Amino acid sequence: MGSGDPYGMPISHALASGMGGIRTAGDLVARMQLHRKMRLPEAKAYVAEKLHVGTRELSDEVTMRELREELDIGVLTSVPGAARGLEAKARIADLLGVTIPSVERLKRKMGGLG
Amino acid sequence: MTKIYTRMGDGHAVEMTVDEIRADILAGTEDAADRGKIPALSQGEQDYLLDLFTFEGKIVGVVPGDEVVLTDDGSVNALYGAQSSSGVGVPISRESAIRVYERAFAMDTMEVGHPDYSFKPVKPIIALELQAMESVLHTTIIPMYYGAMPNLALYARPDGPFGNPADLLPMGKIDEARSAQEEAAEACTRDMVYIGKRMAEVGADGFNFDTTASAGDAEFLATLNAVEELARTTDLSIEVGMAAEFVLGMHGKVTYDGERLAGLYPHQQVKLVEKAGAHIFGPVVNTNTRRSTAWNVSRAVTFVKACSEAATIPVHANVGIGVGGVPMCETPPTSMVTRASVAMVKIGRVDGL
């Protein structure tokens, strides 16, 4: 985005045109851009296929709130027992078929355990 | 005649007629087309901008389903930082601020960044930055960048060890100024690669070069060389955001892959950033404070549309204070920020902001 006070910049852009982060599927679409260099239409189509939803539903707060809890990939509100932080990212890596560096590091740290 | 309440490029309110706004939209796109040697906006695109800027509602938004991904440049510093970072001085830690951006502000990605936000001062405190990144990676879900500015000027005297081109050039010492920039660029690249590799080791998702080429073409070269090395040797997702629409020729002769860097516009910059191996490009178009926001947004989306069409990687346009059509003022009006946001998506065809 760019510099600016939180209300004037990130919040304004989030309301006007943002995907919605973990309120919706914003983090998932972002991952496909970051990890696979996918342009937006391709990234949305990829995530929508993995989630078995339409691309419009990726930014639907109600649909994604329920689906994220069902898939246990991290939800916005604080739900006891729901996957958090690295737990959620490990499940996202599996769901999207991408390599998430912090998850790979966790696996290395767990090497030989259990 | 109906007057529309809108804003100038410095943020101040102004009343304009519909015809005046229409004329500014045309003048803005023609200015970009002339400077960048790119197509001006079509009549339909100009009409869309006119609807956007004559709509009386305070804020606007994209059609549901058309939303784009948000990445940021030091946004977290704006929550706990001071005025220099547009900071509002909330007394919370950087790690807590990132959680707020993820869970309360619905950001798609976030970034760990040093309050100074330049790479050079990060090197001596790299352990602290790694510790912050590790902590944040454990507790967050959204993709996490480490970000800072190449800021080549910090390598010149009196802040750094190399000659200062701003001192040497007025004395006519052209060759000395060029040599100094080349040496500084090599040091800058080394620092950025060092920090990037350390961040990759602890599991950062991405690395953001923000305000690239602020000191001109030698800084752009330093960044492209760092991108190339990090793309080749790490799993980092690399974002390159620019400082200005036009690469200043402070050196004038440096090239990357045979292309002279001075004078490149966004649609040309993105091709070199792609070649270097980056994953996301952030074009900048500067705001003219003496023109209306309609003029500035029209001009900005003309440049960004050409960039998006030329790109093969995602394009995340910079739309912060003083860039991307957003007014140059400390508290940017939400009316104009949301209009710039929508115009970038609808006409600039961006993949993100």
Side-chain angles (χ1 to χ4, degrees):
Chain A
M1 281 173 290
S3 61
D5 67 286
Y7 184 86
M9 194 48 52
I11 292 175
S12 291
H13 284 300
L15 286 171
S17 58
M19 284 289 303
I22 60 172
R23 255 184 129 235
T24 59
D27 60 320
L28 309 182
V29 176
R31 288 216 175 268
M32 302 321 299
Q33 291 195 345
L34 264 76
H35 299 307
R36 300 270 180 87
K37 300 186 183 182
M38 287 183 181
R39 302 296 298 265
L40 186 65
E42 187 188 1
K44 283 185 175 180
Y46 183 92
V47 175
E49 185 185 342
K50 293 290 183 184
L51 299 182
H52 305 294
V53 297
T55 53
R56 182 177 291 187
E57 291 172 289
L58 296 175
S59 50
D60 182 314
E61 299 91 335
V62 177
T63 301
M64 288 309 304
R65 170 64 186 81
E66 293 170 1
L67 188 53
R68 288 193 79 112
E69 185 162 5
E70 183 186 321
L71 295 170
D72 201 16
I73 55 172
V75 291
L76 184 78
T77 47
S78 188
V79 178
R84 293 173 184 273
L86 263 177
E87 298 168 346
K89 284 190 283 195
R91 296 183 61 80
I92 288 168
D94 189 47
L95 176 70
L96 296 182
V98 295
T99 300
I100 297 179
S102 54
V103 174
E104 293 304 302
R105 176 181 153 148
L106 176 65
K107 289 177 186 172
R108 289 196 298 274
K109 293 288 184 188
M110 291 179 67
L113 294 179
Chain B
M1 188 175 289
T2 304
K3 291 267 193 172
I4 307 296
Y5 183 83
T6 184
R7 300 276 176 172
M8 294 295 290
D10 66 359
H12 284 100
V14 61
E15 288 189 329
M16 298 174 70
T17 66
V18 173
D19 285 344
E20 287 171 336
I21 293 175
R22 183 186 289 112
D24 268 13
I25 289 168
L26 176 62
T29 189
E30 286 183 339
D31 186 75
D34 180 51
R35 289 171 189 268
K37 307 290 182 286
I38 53 177
L41 299 181
S42 68
Q43 189 57 54
E45 289 165 332
Q46 292 179 47
D47 291 345
Y48 181 87
L49 289 181
L50 186 65
D51 287 345
L52 203 57
F53 277 92
T54 54
F55 174 64
E56 290 182 319
K58 183 175 178 180
I59 63 171
V60 296
V62 299
V63 172
D66 285 354
E67 296 89 347
V68 300
V69 172
L70 302 181
T71 50
D72 37 64
D73 313 315
S75 283
V76 67
N77 299 343
L79 199 54
Y80 71 87
Q83 186 187 30
S84 58
S85 303
S86 301
V88 294
V90 177
I92 59 174
S93 72
R94 180 167 49 165
E95 287 87 343
S96 298
I98 287 172
R99 298 286 297 279
V100 170
Y101 271 85
E102 177 186 66
R103 307 198 75 87
F105 297 172
M107 289 295 108
D108 299 313
T109 67
M110 208 50 224
E111 181 185 273
V112 177
H114 181 254
D116 184 272
Y117 210 57
S118 293
F119 283 113
K120 185 169 175 254
V122 169
K123 197 174 176 185
I125 57 160
I126 185 69
L128 292 173
E129 297 303 275
L130 294 171
Q131 176 181 282
M133 177 60 80
E134 287 178 310
S135 169
V136 165
L137 286 171
H138 272 85
T139 56
T140 56
I141 299 168
I142 57 177
M144 197 60 53
Y145 284 93
Y146 187 81
M149 301 184 292
N151 205 349
L152 191 70
L154 289 183
Y155 292 81
R157 286 193 285 271
D159 297 309
F162 304 106
N164 192 327
D167 294 332
L168 295 167
L169 287 172
M171 291 190 284
K173 296 182 176 178
I174 310 296
D175 290 341
E176 291 88 338
R178 284 185 172 138
S179 296
Q181 290 178 77
E182 289 163 15
E183 290 172 26
E186 286 177 17
C188 183
T189 299
R190 280 197 300 274
D191 287 353
M192 295 190 291
V193 168
Y194 171 78
I195 296 163
K197 286 186 175 180
R198 298 298 305 272
M199 286 294 160
E201 285 169 8
V202 300
D205 290 297
F207 203 63
N208 179 22
F209 296 88
D210 178 49
T211 324
T212 296
S214 61
D217 46 355
E219 182 179 314
F220 194 21
L221 179 64
T223 305
L224 290 169
N225 285 334
V227 170
E228 194 176 286
E229 175 68 9
L230 290 173
R232 189 177 63 80
T233 58
T234 74
D235 292 328
L236 288 169
S237 176
I238 300 167
E239 179 164 348
V240 176
M242 300 302 288
E245 65 198 37
F246 177 84
V247 179
L248 288 173
M250 287 293 285
H251 185 291
K253 286 188 173 178
V254 288
T255 61
Y256 179 77
D257 200 33
E259 182 98 27
R260 194 171 79 120
L261 300 183
L264 296 183
Y265 278 102
H267 63 289
Q268 299 159 320
Q269 297 160 9
V270 68
K271 302 313 293 179
L272 298 184
V273 168
E274 284 174 0
K275 270 185 192 169
H279 299 66
I280 294 176
F281 177 64
V284 160
V285 182
N286 302 94
T287 293
N288 184 333
T289 56
R290 292 172 298 174
R291 305 303 296 259
S292 69
T293 302
W295 185 92
N296 278 297
V297 168
S298 175
R299 183 174 180 278
V301 297
T302 303
F303 275 121
V304 170
K305 181 188 173 197
C307 178
S308 295
E309 289 175 352
T312 58
I313 59 174
V315 171
H316 286 202
N318 280 271
V319 275
I321 291 173
V323 294
V326 173
M328 182 71 182
C329 57
E330 198 169 84
T331 49
T334 53
S335 56
M336 297 299 109
V337 173
T338 56
R339 279 165 175 77
S341 201
V342 170
M344 281 293 173
V345 174
K346 182 70 179 178
I347 299 175
R349 314 304 297 175
V350 295
D351 304 278
L353 296 170

